[in-house]
Amino acid sequence: MSRRPGLSPALGFGLLAAAGVAVPVLTRDSYYLDVATTLLMNLVLTLSLRLEMSTGQLNMAHISFMGVGAYASALLVTRAGWSFWGSLAVAPLVAALVAVPVGRIALRVSGPYYFLITFAFLEVLRLFFNNFFVDYLGGPSGLVEIPRPHPLPLSGGAIGFAGKLPQYWLMYALFLLAAAVLIRLEYSRFGLVASAIRQRDLLAETLGVDIIRYKLGVFVLGSFFAGLVGVFFAHSHQVLHSSDFGLEPMVLLVVFTVIGGAQSVWGPVVGTLVLAVTSELLRELHHYEILVYGAVLMVVMLVCPEGLVSLPGRIAHALTRRRDAKAAAVGARVAP
Amino acid sequence: MLLELRDVSKRFGGLHAVTGLSMTVAPRTIHGLIGPNGAGKSTVFNLLTGVLPLSSGEIVFKGARVSGLRPSEICRRGIARTFQATTLFRESTVLDNVLLALQLHAATAFVSTLLGTAAYRDRERSARARARALLASLRLLDLADERAGNLPHRDQKALCLAMVLATAAELVILDEPLAGLTAQESTDTMAVLRTLRAEGKTILLVEHDMRAVMGLCDVITVLDHGVLIAEGTPRDIQANPVVIEAYLGAEESRA
């Protein structure tokens, strides 16, 4: 594709990968490792949510597919006796499979109707986790005693995943996989087509894109990555509640993504990082966290509606304009 | 015949936008579709490209039925269009607009894209070369890295044409290709359209500039109130009393 301004994909990915390695070098404190692990989970969730938003649709049920992956993996491991590693490969596919009929129904409409349908699905699935198959899904008291990831057998030993550090590395590996795929797609023709659909879906369609099929593909892929995070979440938290996959965490994902900027693949990265740091700095104010997010969201929407990631470009633009204005003023003075 | 409409009708509730329209478009011709405002010209274009479903009748392109297909499939079969209002991907660059049109209909191989295989890179490189050649032929190459939304009207029109050509469609449908252009720009565009015909394209167009239509078209179909009232060469049409009546009548009622 033609060159776009901003971070080159390889450099951006390299920075993220390096930052991920730096965390355990800088600290072994289990609290901070926990924070960093959660951050990586959120990054995969917001990056995949943004993939879906790049065609112009906000899927409010994104986190439900994390739930599908999480519950599916918990059941495969505790009930069917699967190894965590088998489940890690299969449970995200279950989430993707569930996404096919849901997407087929939801994508018949667009705009606010799509938002409402996916929102309804979010609630339906949350209630399903909460009230149905209580013996299997744990009901309102949650699904408990989910085992940690099993040791990974290697030639001459095995890597255990009981501690925070190996769990961090596992999530880091999953994050690298997801980020590589999602960044790569953004800078390929897929990203270009997504932006075409977002800008003018009718024109894209008359130029030959099967937009329903394309949107469905994006929906299923996004759900796959949400399911992948779900598997990790289930086995690192070891407890699942239906509320983990409800409106509040979903709204947070949207806030992270929108504050960073949904137009760019780097937007969710910036938004998730900035808000993770903010929330750490304001740890004392824990109960007001959501208020702070709300305030930040309002300020960002007023100051730069395309998200924080658009800020450097806007500043540069403003500076050039000022310089041009100055030059024009000088020119006017010189002119007879 | 390249394109054939068989007894095509379109109703919007009680409004009969197009009624029992049968017409054919011969390959390698410039075919004009004219008529007073509200005659149903744009509706016909929307039916041809699958943007609107037919109420009855059928449309056959290269011997195969295309009515009922999705717009994307119709494009892949070889019918592409511009819109009355200049419709572009305004936030994307001029080059990206053409690349999109070049690639949108191409099969998108997910895995080779992801891995950036040699085949993928070759395809990208040849697409860029074709896009640049197309832009050069329409004198847009200097603007390749501009945002499409920033172009002057004339260049936006030319870009719309470049995009339609990029799809490699055999039948190019143009909705008012000359609207808003100066006399010189119109003349240039008409020259481009004649070149396209010489290169083997078939063009179906709606245009209000009667002098241009008469000078450009091989065959003209006249619609009034959704019904075909005349068809023939420009000379036939200009002499046809029914056509004159329709236009003069329209003038009177407008006055």
Side-chain angles (χ1 to χ4, degrees):
Chain A
M1 301 307 107
S2 69
R3 285 179 58 81
R4 293 184 232 177
L7 208 52
S8 97
L11 179 63
F13 181 74
L15 282 175
L16 281 175
V21 175
V23 171
V25 173
L26 295 174
T27 176
R28 293 291 168 101
D29 184 297
S30 75
Y31 173 79
Y32 285 109
L33 283 178
D34 239 5
V35 170
T37 308
T38 306
L39 177 61
L40 290 179
M41 286 197 282
N42 283 336
L43 278 172
V44 176
L45 288 170
T46 52
L47 274 168
S48 52
L49 176 65
R50 213 268 341 169
L51 171 75
E52 296 180 34
M53 289 173 80
S54 67
T55 58
Q57 312 241 31
L58 177 55
N59 171 15
M60 286 302 284
H62 189 57
I63 204 161
S64 305
F65 294 98
M66 174 183 171
V68 172
Y71 279 99
S73 182
L75 290 179
L76 282 173
V77 172
T78 59
R79 298 286 172 154
W82 284 40
S83 125
F84 167 80
W85 303 101
S87 176
L88 181 65
V90 170
L93 292 176
V94 174
L97 213 61
V98 173
V100 174
V102 175
R104 271 188 183 279
I105 294 167
L107 289 166
R108 285 164 177 263
V109 295
S110 56
Y113 304 103
Y114 178 82
F115 177 90
L116 287 173
I117 284 192
T118 52
F119 179 41
F121 182 76
L122 171 90
E123 280 300 292
V124 166
L125 208 68
R126 189 183 63 76
L127 292 171
F128 178 84
F129 292 145
N130 206 55
N131 299 333
F132 286 77
F133 301 102
V134 172
D135 289 346
Y136 284 92
L137 301 178
S141 53
L143 181 56
V144 296
E145 293 181 353
I146 303 168
R148 292 215 180 277
H150 300 132
L152 184 62
L154 283 179
S155 52
I159 312 174
F161 286 92
K164 294 283 179 201
L165 186 61
Q167 284 184 38
Y168 173 83
W169 284 123
L170 174 58
M171 190 56 226
Y172 176 70
L174 298 178
F175 163 74
L176 281 190
L177 171 74
V181 170
L182 293 170
I183 293 171
R184 174 90 205 150
L185 281 183
E186 173 67 12
Y187 285 87
S188 74
R189 69 161 66 174
F190 283 83
L192 202 60
V193 174
S195 112
I197 293 175
R198 181 174 51 73
Q199 291 180 54
R200 285 258 178 187
D201 55 356
L202 182 62
L203 179 59
E205 201 169 13
T206 53
L207 289 172
V209 193
D210 190 340
I211 55 175
I212 299 286
R213 210 177 113 196
Y214 189 92
K215 284 180 178 172
L216 186 64
V218 162
F219 188 87
V220 169
L221 187 65
S223 302
F224 172 87
F225 283 117
L228 188 69
V229 176
V231 177
F232 179 83
F233 178 79
H235 296 271
S236 66
H237 271 235
Q238 304 186 278
V239 181
L240 294 178
H241 278 108
S242 60
S243 63
D244 295 332
F245 313 109
L247 182 60
E248 195 178 321
M250 182 63 223
V251 168
L252 283 184
L253 291 184
V254 176
V255 170
F256 290 164
T257 309
V258 171
I259 284 180
Q263 308 270 357
S264 154
V265 73
W266 308 110
V269 176
V270 170
T272 309
L273 281 171
V274 166
L275 287 188
V277 171
T278 315
S279 128
E280 274 315 299
L281 294 177
L282 301 174
R283 216 190 321 164
E284 323 286 88
L285 300 173
H286 181 69
H287 294 292
Y288 302 101
E289 197 177 354
I290 198 99
L291 274 181
V292 173
Y293 287 166
V296 174
L297 181 63
M298 280 195 282
V299 171
V300 169
M301 287 303 99
L302 287 172
V303 177
C304 53
E306 284 173 9
L308 290 175
V309 83
S310 72
L311 211 50
R314 289 171 78 92
I315 292 172
H317 188 68
L319 288 179
T320 0
R321 257 214 324 243
R322 256 181 61 187
R323 205 183 320 127
D324 288 351
K326 227 184 233 168
V330 171
R333 227 177 299 141
V334 171
Chain B
M1 283 298 141
L2 187 67
L3 178 74
E4 200 173 346
L5 283 79
R6 293 179 186 157
D7 201 21
V8 168
S9 295
K10 177 65 186 175
R11 289 183 296 278
F12 297 104
L15 177 74
H16 293 254
V18 177
T19 308
L21 176 64
S22 294
M23 63 180 274
T24 56
V25 176
R28 292 167 169 258
T29 56
I30 298 180
H31 192 125
L33 188 60
I34 65 169
N37 283 329
K41 304 175 300 264
S42 289
T43 304
V44 170
F45 278 13
N46 286 332
L47 297 174
L48 281 174
T49 49
V51 174
L52 290 173
L54 280 67
S55 299
S56 63
E58 65 174 350
I59 298 169
V60 174
F61 180 67
K62 288 197 287 185
R65 188 186 161 120
V66 292
S67 41
L69 298 178
R70 296 193 57 77
S72 53
E73 182 58 30
I74 291 178
C75 174
R76 274 175 237 164
R77 300 278 182 98
I79 303 180
R81 73 175 293 186
T82 63
F83 289 83
Q84 194 170 347
T86 47
T87 303
L88 299 160
F89 302 116
R90 305 181 67 84
E91 294 167 30
S92 305
T93 65
V94 169
L95 183 64
D96 274 349
N97 267 272
V98 178
L99 278 174
L100 275 163
L102 264 175
Q103 299 180 337
L104 284 181
H105 66 289
T108 40
F110 184 77
V111 175
S112 68
T113 302
L114 210 53
L115 297 179
T117 57
Y120 172 78
R121 284 200 307 274
D122 275 356
R123 214 165 46 203
E124 293 300 309
R125 206 173 304 129
S126 71
R128 298 175 73 86
R130 275 182 60 200
R132 290 189 160 275
L134 252 175
L135 286 176
S137 74
L138 290 165
R139 296 186 211 159
L140 288 172
L141 193 53
D142 294 343
L143 300 169
D145 295 324
E146 280 294 325
R147 268 165 55 125
N150 294 344
L151 298 188
H153 178 73
R154 166 200 54 191
D155 293 328
Q156 290 194 7
K157 281 254 173 219
L159 180 55
C160 288
L161 190 57
M163 288 164 74
V164 165
L165 297 178
T167 64
E170 282 162 70
L171 176 62
V172 175
I173 299 183
L174 306 175
D175 205 344
E176 302 195 12
L178 308 178
L181 298 184
T182 65
Q184 184 57 49
E185 288 161 5
S186 281
T187 311
D188 292 346
T189 303
M190 284 163 68
V192 170
L193 298 184
R194 289 198 184 94
T195 311
L196 291 174
R197 175 181 56 189
E199 287 169 2
K201 298 268 185 201
T202 306
I203 297 169
L204 176 62
L205 58 85
V206 162
E207 185 49 62
H208 284 296
D209 178 344
M210 276 310 132
R211 191 181 300 178
V213 169
M214 295 302 164
L216 193 60
C217 294
D218 303 303
V219 183
I220 294 171
T221 301
V222 189
L223 291 186
D224 190 25
H225 295 106
V227 180
L228 187 151
I229 58 168
E231 192 166 54
T233 64
R235 189 188 299 248
D236 297 340
I237 295 300
Q238 274 168 306
N240 189 320
V242 181
V243 176
I244 295 165
E245 165 68 25
Y247 269 87
L248 286 181
E251 293 296 332
E252 270 166 26
S253 66
R254 215 183 293 153

